[in-house]
Amino acid sequence: MISHRPTVPTDLDRVTAWTVTEPVGWIPAERYLAELAENMYRPEWTWIAEIDGRVVGRALWWGPRDSAHPVALDCLDVDPAAGDRAAIAAELIRAALAGFPQPVQYAIKVAGGWRDDPATSTAVEWRRAAAHAAGLTREVERLQFEWAPADGVPPSTGVLRFAEASDEEFLTVFKRIAEGSLDAQTRTNLAVKGVDATAREEMDFYLRAPGKREWWRIAYTPEGQVAGMAIPSATPYNVNVGYLGVVPEFRGRGYVDEILAEITRIHAANGEPRITATTDMGNAPMAAAFRRAGYRNTEIRINLSNNVQP
């Protein structure tokens, strides 16, 4: 008989003794303990599957330190000797989701070309099957990029002028950029919520992020027309590109390169040793812009979620 439950403090040694041997991203003991101390992992968010008192599965849910509920499943694994790994993992996810009232997502992190590697594709498929069975059925594959100072700081070309602006001005640009967006999340939100709610939720997400509001810039053409915007941001771990876009009437002119360069310059001027960025696998123009700017693709994230995310 398999049981599923959240942990209590006395389970800590058993949770941290767990290791993942498959070629997927996972959370080792050192990181778990460090973020447990920061309240981003918690005993009640850490779920285990047991057979006769032996831990055979582990699911680590993560959330911001001040959050009432977790927002992401960071690590999922089941002992292959326990039986049907996908079925056990699905029940483990379902049991946790019953107590989480808001949307969550699970990112399976793998190296590029994972479909061509049997070990990696097998590791992905049983986890994906478990997530789908548990209700995390919306799937988007995303490319993770990274920049370091050695990759070079792009100089300003003067093609666009960048300036700070009010929240109201940024909200207007969020609405304009959403039109014709290739981002899967934005397209889904537009279809479900409409442009006003989509723009407001996207802006609110970045206002809540650890990045600084004073980094934000609107891009203007030499004639003073709004061309797009640059929102350098951050996660609890490092700075990132955040959000950038070009308004529909100015797309196809290469302005995305200058907007991305401005974000890179802002972070580089602050002495940041690392900038991360993500884009959907299907957003080929954005992926190409990252590569032109010296960003390197470091991993692929298969994001599975149970609802529309901001």
Side-chain angles (χ1 to χ4, degrees):
M1 181 69 178
I2 301 176
S3 62
H4 309 83
R5 64 173 177 86
T7 61
V8 295
T10 54
D11 292 313
L12 183 61
D13 288 345
R14 296 198 297 164
V15 169
T16 54
W18 191 276
T19 58
V20 176
T21 59
E22 293 173 295
V24 296
W26 66 288
I27 306 300
E30 306 79 50
R31 178 173 167 186
Y32 178 81
L33 290 169
E35 296 189 26
L36 183 69
E38 293 289 328
N39 213 37
M40 292 187 285
Y41 292 121
R42 302 177 198 175
E44 64 271 24
W45 294 353
T46 301
W47 281 72
I48 54 175
E50 293 177 300
I51 298 178
D52 297 328
R54 180 173 69 89
V55 176
V56 297
R58 185 183 79 157
L60 306 183
W61 298 83
W62 179 95
R65 56 177 57 89
D66 59 349
S67 177
H69 305 284
V71 298
L73 175 57
D74 265 5
C75 187
L76 177 68
D77 196 40
V78 173
D79 183 346
D84 187 336
R85 300 174 84 185
I88 295 170
E91 286 302 318
L92 192 55
I93 296 172
R94 283 194 198 99
L97 287 179
F100 301 159
Q102 63 187 40
V104 296
Q105 72 172 14
Y106 169 36
I108 307 173
K109 301 175 183 180
V110 291
W114 64 268
R115 288 178 174 84
D116 299 322
D117 177 64
T120 307
S121 60
T122 297
V124 168
E125 289 308 327
W126 75 256
R127 288 174 170 85
R128 173 192 269 152
H132 282 206
L136 305 183
T137 55
R138 184 174 180 275
E139 183 172 331
V140 178
E141 199 161 326
R142 292 176 64 82
L143 298 167
Q144 175 81 3
F145 287 91
E146 184 173 308
W147 176 94
D151 299 313
V153 179
S156 174
T157 64
V159 172
L160 296 175
R161 176 177 62 86
F162 294 90
E164 298 182 40
S166 67
D167 285 357
E168 291 73 20
E169 290 171 290
F170 274 104
L171 183 60
T172 297
V173 184
F174 267 106
K175 292 178 185 179
R176 296 179 65 191
I177 289 174
E179 180 184 341
S181 174
L182 296 177
D183 181 80
Q185 186 65 62
T186 298
R187 292 165 72 94
T188 298
N189 285 350
L190 284 172
V192 174
K193 304 177 180 181
V195 67
D196 290 344
T198 295
R200 170 57 65 182
E201 289 186 4
E202 287 181 336
M203 189 172 84
D204 287 348
F205 174 84
Y206 288 102
L207 286 171
R208 293 193 305 268
K212 296 181 180 180
R213 173 62 177 81
E214 58 264 32
W215 294 342
W216 296 19
R217 301 287 187 273
I218 287 181
Y220 299 91
T221 67
E223 294 74 31
Q225 295 174 287
V226 173
M229 66 180 174
I231 298 186
S233 193
T235 71
Y237 307 104
N238 56 267
V239 299
N240 62 10
V241 167
Y243 188 100
L244 76 159
V246 178
V247 299
E249 62 267 32
F250 287 121
R251 288 171 185 160
R253 303 189 186 190
Y255 287 165
V256 66
D257 293 333
E258 186 58 25
I259 293 173
L260 176 57
E262 177 70 5
I263 292 175
T264 306
R265 287 192 294 267
I266 289 172
H267 284 320
N270 291 330
E272 298 292 348
R274 176 174 178 257
I275 307 170
T276 61
T278 59
T279 191
D280 291 351
M281 182 75 78
N283 193 344
M286 194 66 245
F290 282 127
R291 292 187 173 99
R292 288 194 300 270
Y295 284 71
R296 293 159 286 107
N297 180 215
T298 55
E299 68 181 17
I300 291 174
R301 296 182 176 183
I302 304 161
N303 287 347
L304 301 123
S305 61
N306 61 345
N307 208 331
V308 177
Q309 300 285 324

